[in-house]
Amino acid sequence: MSTTQPYVSVRNLKQHFPITRGVIISRKVGAVRAVDDISFDIPAGETLGLVGESGCGKSTTGRSILRLYEPTAGTVMIGNTDITTLSPEALREKRSEMQMIFQDSYSSLNPRHSVAKIVAEPLVIRGERDQGKLRRRVEELLDLVGLEPDHMKRFPHEFSGGQRQRIGIARALALNPKFVVCDEPISALDVAIQAQVVNLLVRLQKDLGLTYLFIAHDLSMVRHISHRIAVMYLGRIMELATYDELFRNPLHPYTQSLMSAVPIPEPKVEKSRTRLLLEGDVPSPSRPPRGCVFSTRCPFATDRCRQEIPQPRELTSGHFIACHNVDDPEVSPRINESRIAIVQSLEDASTGGPDRTFAMATGAAAPGAAAPGES
Amino acid sequence: MNSNVNSNKNDKPILEVRDLHVRFDTVDGVIYAVNGVSFDLYPGETLGVVGESGSGKSVTMMSLLRLIPEPPGRIVSGTARFRSREDDLDLLQLNMRQRAKIRGNRIGFIFQDPMSSLNPLITIGEQIKESLERHTKWRGPEARQRVVELLEHVGIPDPDARYGNYPHQFSGGMRQRVMIAIAIACDPDIIIADEPTTALDVTVQAQIVDLTRRLSEELGIAVIWISHDLGVVAGIAERVMVMYGGTVVETGVVDDLYAHPRHPYTVGLLGALPKLHENVPELVNISGTPPSLFAAPSRCPFEPRCPWAFKTCRERRPALESVQRDGHFSACWYDMEKDKPREVRR
């Protein structure tokens, strides 16, 4: 899958939740197939972006990989250890290497604990009792995420959303993890603050050599942080590729519709662009459609799609796709036509852009702010 | 605002808001939520209102029909002239009965969270009919027929059967369609949509934006679309108003404002957005945090975060002034067009 040794390697992971009926004698009447047979690798020091709409199983995937749920089937290798078979003691030992950043910074920080206590808690659980050491480590961590040392004594409600997310990041980093699952860490934040947090996560990855699984429902931010992107729909991975490949060459109809739905801040393009608008809603994961899970909404679906589940295959090097029709002589020309139109309107959007940037004010060629016409 | 910032210059604005001030009295002190907001809305146009949480964008619009809780809310001053075929009145001077005649009738609302705006114990159809029977002459089977038409109009499949469904039987996107059906039921002049797609997935969001745009064009309804997402606003609005710290910092025609932002906050906001098709090493940070609203603004609210800020910005609050582009106004002491501080008349 990749030339470098993957740090995280997931194979045929399934996470089904039983639906039970009956109070005294509980019996299983069905299952919610939240995650159904997914496989991917994440090379060390890289980020895999996991994208999909609500209910597609992306957060469940993140949790199953850390064994916060007991996976129904499959293996999860994290740094040469299969964590699905670890004993509880060994798993606890392993947990310091793998951490999580949560979406909701209100409910993931204890409102009765000071920042110092929140950030130091992982260390305390690991048996650190030396107050001086704890204090120094907390200061170090707060500095790392761009907070002030005197924020230590404050409580979560005294911080803004972006700052609270920084506290969550500091806590996740306390035990020097190698792998961090970021579960929609920016979804609840304002745009300007989202950029701050994404920049921070990118910098931390470079400095500390972290491996990320970055979960999001928004393709545009994911693109910025991820090396490779996996698109999920109803518990399955539809397409996986490097971001450049995915944005130049979105082959799966679902990826195309997602990409064409992301709003672009370019009025002319946004009002006239080609979209692959989907009809209806995502089916229930307790009764997924037979065959391809996307077949009920796919504008290109054929009889084969409604019968047979498409297995992910590597179409070109590193580009995985689960679709019968991408190389079907009948249907693929239409899919290709739609792909060209969608990519074209995205490219149109990248030529424009505002004629003033912050870089112009500071004079310095601030990274990422090179404006057209500016030397 | 000192000029006619309009897209269709022949029309008179349907809504003229002038110098609106709204405060909230809390145990921690007075919150200056809206500080002198003025704007016009023209018949049939879509005005995008952009700003981060706490910028006063929702409070401004909710205040117009007194939908903010009073107390702690308090409309300190301002006027809101509503001018339609039948009416010409100041919304802020109405008594309760007069307001009830406007609300949901001449001015419809769509809120962010359709689940908490719909009554879970009443069927979808009855909820739409309620609005019809309150404000129009439709009654009984005729009203029911009209509701089914409305449901069909907003793209709900099998509307006749769906009439008797409860809100929980609808998905998020479908519920928002029902909210839109309620909003357009009485053929209003204005719809105020307060972040109607924020809670929805992008593919559903695209459907709702599409629907709203189509309805606004077909029925000639003016729409105020409140959002924090500049991308969504780009797709639906004709004019945009950017808010920060309870004030309007920039307003203009959408194409012009996005291509030539003239207020530093708008510049930063547009720069902070990642582009789908561009690879930049780092996104632009607007460093710092939004302003505290616990004091009356005496200077530019964006000054602490602004890379262009200079002495005057710390001393006096800038008013909206034309930036020498048609219908484009910015409240900034720095003249970006000339790239030097604006000349200040004392």
Side-chain angles (χ1 to χ4, degrees):
Chain A
M1 213 164 184
S2 176
T3 45
T4 39
Q5 177 66 29
Y7 184 72
V8 177
S9 181
V10 177
R11 286 292 171 273
N12 305 102
L13 182 71
K14 285 185 185 178
Q15 183 72 58
H16 297 178
F17 298 102
I19 304 169
T20 54
R21 221 94 339 118
V23 183
I24 297 161
I25 308 159
S26 165
R27 64 205 156 83
K28 197 178 155 209
V29 293
V32 175
R33 295 158 169 259
V35 175
D36 212 6
D37 198 8
I38 67 170
S39 305
F40 59 82
D41 289 343
I42 314 177
E46 284 201 0
T47 302
L48 177 74
L50 193 57
V51 186
E53 299 182 276
S54 41
C56 73
K58 53 192 193 300
S59 290
T60 308
T61 305
R63 285 163 184 253
S64 305
I65 289 174
L66 297 185
R67 220 173 128 186
L68 296 177
Y69 299 132
E70 287 299 328
T72 311
T75 59
V76 178
M77 301 284 290
I78 296 181
N80 297 326
T81 323
D82 181 359
I83 66 148
T84 54
T85 55
L86 286 182
S87 67
E89 295 75 30
L91 182 65
R92 194 171 302 147
E93 198 60 37
K94 183 81 184 166
R95 286 218 183 275
S96 61
E97 279 176 39
M98 38 194 227
Q99 292 289 325
M100 189 150 183
I101 300 167
F102 298 92
Q103 171 176 4
D104 186 352
S105 56
Y106 280 92
S107 59
S108 61
L109 302 177
N110 189 329
R112 291 165 166 257
H113 285 181
S114 67
V115 170
K117 193 163 180 189
I118 290 170
V119 176
E121 198 170 12
L123 299 159
V124 173
I125 292 169
R126 306 293 292 178
E128 183 58 64
R129 290 288 178 273
D130 183 335
Q131 289 304 317
K133 265 192 195 165
L134 282 174
R135 196 191 155 79
R136 275 193 300 281
R137 179 69 180 142
V138 171
E139 271 176 19
E140 201 179 293
L141 285 163
L142 291 183
D143 181 56
L144 197 64
V145 299
L147 292 172
E148 302 293 326
D150 63 308
H151 284 151
M152 248 206 268
K153 299 185 200 85
R154 298 203 203 160
F155 289 82
H157 74 267
E158 297 175 69
F159 294 89
S160 68
Q163 287 174 316
R164 269 201 306 269
Q165 206 48 280
R166 286 171 194 265
I167 298 168
I169 295 171
R171 175 179 61 186
L173 296 178
L175 296 172
N176 291 316
K178 296 199 178 78
F179 175 51
V180 181
V181 172
C182 312
D183 188 5
E184 304 214 38
I186 54 168
S187 302
L189 305 174
D190 279 318
V191 183
I193 311 295
Q194 285 189 354
Q196 288 179 7
V197 173
V198 166
N199 284 340
L200 172 67
L201 287 170
V202 171
R203 182 169 60 77
L204 290 171
Q205 178 167 51
K206 280 196 196 112
D207 294 351
L208 307 173
L210 298 171
T211 306
Y212 289 145
L213 177 70
F214 191 90
I215 299 167
H217 61 261
D218 176 352
L219 267 174
S220 50
M221 273 293 173
V222 168
R223 179 196 199 288
H224 193 78
I225 194 170
S226 309
H227 298 85
R228 293 186 311 142
I229 293 175
V231 178
M232 264 187 102
Y233 184 82
L234 210 64
R236 290 174 176 269
I237 291 181
M238 299 283 112
E239 190 165 10
L240 192 159
T242 63
Y243 61 68
D244 278 334
E245 172 68 11
L246 195 75
F247 282 91
R248 221 177 304 125
N249 204 11
L251 292 173
H252 199 288
Y254 181 61
T255 315
Q256 292 183 0
S257 75
L258 260 190
M259 276 175 61
S260 70
V262 175
I264 297 177
E266 278 294 327
K268 283 201 181 76
V269 177
E270 180 67 14
K271 286 192 174 113
S272 63
R273 63 200 278 219
T274 316
R275 290 184 200 271
L276 190 61
L277 272 185
L278 295 182
E279 291 189 5
D281 292 294
V282 185
S284 159
S286 61
R287 269 177 295 134
R290 271 179 74 192
C292 175
V293 284
F294 187 56
S295 62
T296 52
R297 297 174 82 198
C298 180
F300 307 107
T302 60
D303 283 342
R304 186 180 175 203
C305 302
R306 290 178 204 106
Q307 301 295 329
E308 196 183 317
I309 297 173
Q311 292 304 320
R313 48 205 171 113
E314 195 167 2
L315 211 66
T316 55
S317 172
H319 193 152
F320 294 79
I321 181 161
C323 177
H324 294 306
N325 290 333
V326 278
D327 45 7
D328 181 281
E330 293 261 313
V331 190
S332 67
R334 277 162 54 218
I335 299 182
N336 206 33
E337 214 173 280
S338 137
R339 173 186 71 85
I340 290 167
I342 285 165
V343 170
Q344 185 57 48
S345 51
L346 290 178
E347 271 166 7
D348 292 346
S350 62
T351 54
D355 65 350
R356 293 290 186 279
T357 64
F358 267 24
M360 292 174 169
T362 45
E374 196 195 20
S375 59
Chain B
M1 210 182 309
N2 48 3
S3 157
N4 47 338
V5 195
N6 54 0
S7 41
N8 17 349
K9 289 203 163 71
N10 307 324
D11 289 336
K12 282 187 176 153
I14 190 167
L15 183 65
E16 253 179 58
V17 176
R18 290 294 175 272
D19 202 31
L20 180 69
H21 289 260
V22 183
R23 290 175 200 160
F24 288 86
D25 301 312
T26 70
V27 284
D28 298 323
V30 179
I31 295 173
Y32 293 77
V34 177
N35 306 298
V37 165
S38 303
F39 69 92
D40 293 337
L41 179 73
Y42 289 86
E45 77 165 345
T46 298
L47 174 71
V49 183
V50 178
E52 53 197 0
S53 5
S55 62
K57 53 192 194 304
S58 293
V59 175
T60 300
M61 300 309 161
M62 295 299 114
S63 305
L64 298 181
L65 286 179
R66 309 287 281 266
L67 287 173
I68 54 166
E70 295 175 73
R74 182 153 54 88
I75 296 170
V76 179
S77 62
T79 58
R81 186 168 177 192
F82 174 67
R83 198 160 25 186
S84 70
R85 273 155 308 185
E86 299 104 57
D87 313 288
D88 186 353
L89 32 85
D90 183 351
L91 294 176
L92 300 176
Q93 301 300 328
L94 303 182
N95 63 33
M96 222 149 70
R97 182 181 281 171
Q98 291 168 315
R99 270 204 307 275
K101 269 192 188 156
I102 299 284
R103 260 198 308 233
N105 180 21
R106 305 322 315 147
I107 302 181
F109 283 87
I110 308 170
F111 297 101
Q112 176 174 343
D113 182 3
M115 196 56 200
S116 57
S117 327
L118 293 168
N119 187 333
L121 299 177
I122 301 177
T123 63
I124 292 294
E126 291 301 316
Q127 293 192 52
I128 304 175
K129 209 170 97 187
E130 183 189 331
S131 181
L132 274 178
E133 291 185 333
R134 189 185 175 94
H135 294 296
T136 68
K137 292 193 188 98
W138 301 91
R139 291 290 179 276
E142 280 181 343
R144 191 198 145 99
Q145 189 48 40
R146 166 94 177 125
V147 170
V148 172
E149 277 168 32
L150 281 166
L151 287 173
E152 193 172 3
H153 215 68
V154 296
I156 290 181
D158 201 4
D160 210 32
R162 293 297 243 168
Y163 183 97
N165 282 172
Y166 289 89
H168 76 267
Q169 292 169 295
F170 282 66
S171 68
M174 285 296 159
R175 273 182 224 136
Q176 204 55 289
R177 285 174 193 267
V178 172
M179 288 301 294
I180 294 174
I182 295 176
I184 63 167
C186 305
D187 197 13
D189 298 300
I190 302 174
I191 289 180
I192 297 177
D194 189 0
E195 307 232 13
T197 59
T198 305
L200 304 175
D201 282 317
V202 278
T203 55
V204 182
Q205 168 173 286
Q207 295 170 357
I208 297 292
V209 169
D210 223 50
L211 173 69
T212 313
R213 197 165 47 196
R214 185 168 60 77
L215 290 175
S216 156
E217 275 166 23
E218 274 174 23
L219 308 173
I221 304 171
V223 178
I224 296 177
W225 185 282
I226 305 173
S227 176
H228 65 269
D229 189 328
L230 282 162
V232 177
V233 169
I236 193 161
E238 280 130 32
R239 284 193 309 123
V240 178
M241 174 164 115
V242 183
M243 290 192 66
Y244 188 83
T247 63
V248 178
V249 293
E250 187 167 5
T251 169
V253 177
V254 67
D255 289 0
D256 189 50
L257 188 132
Y258 278 60
H260 313 286
R262 288 296 175 264
H263 192 281
Y265 176 62
T266 318
V267 172
L269 211 54
L270 285 166
L273 287 172
K275 286 238 178 119
L276 268 180
H277 235 265
E278 238 168 34
N279 193 17
V280 291
E282 195 168 75
L283 297 167
V284 176
N285 267 343
I286 304 179
S287 56
T289 48
S292 160
L293 298 169
F294 279 115
S298 56
R299 57 177 186 177
C300 171
F302 191 58
E303 180 274 326
R305 302 171 81 182
C306 179
W308 279 277
F310 61 104
K311 192 163 161 281
T312 314
C313 310
R314 286 180 275 279
E315 290 164 353
R316 298 172 66 188
R317 202 183 126 189
L320 275 179
E321 284 193 49
S322 170
V323 294
Q324 283 101 52
R325 308 186 73 90
D326 197 21
H328 191 154
F329 294 76
S330 166
C332 181
W333 291 122
Y334 192 86
D335 188 340
M336 293 220 193
E337 205 68 36
K338 299 198 181 103
D339 208 18
K340 64 183 178 65
R342 205 188 278 274
E343 277 164 31
V344 181
R345 293 178 298 273
R346 294 265 164 184

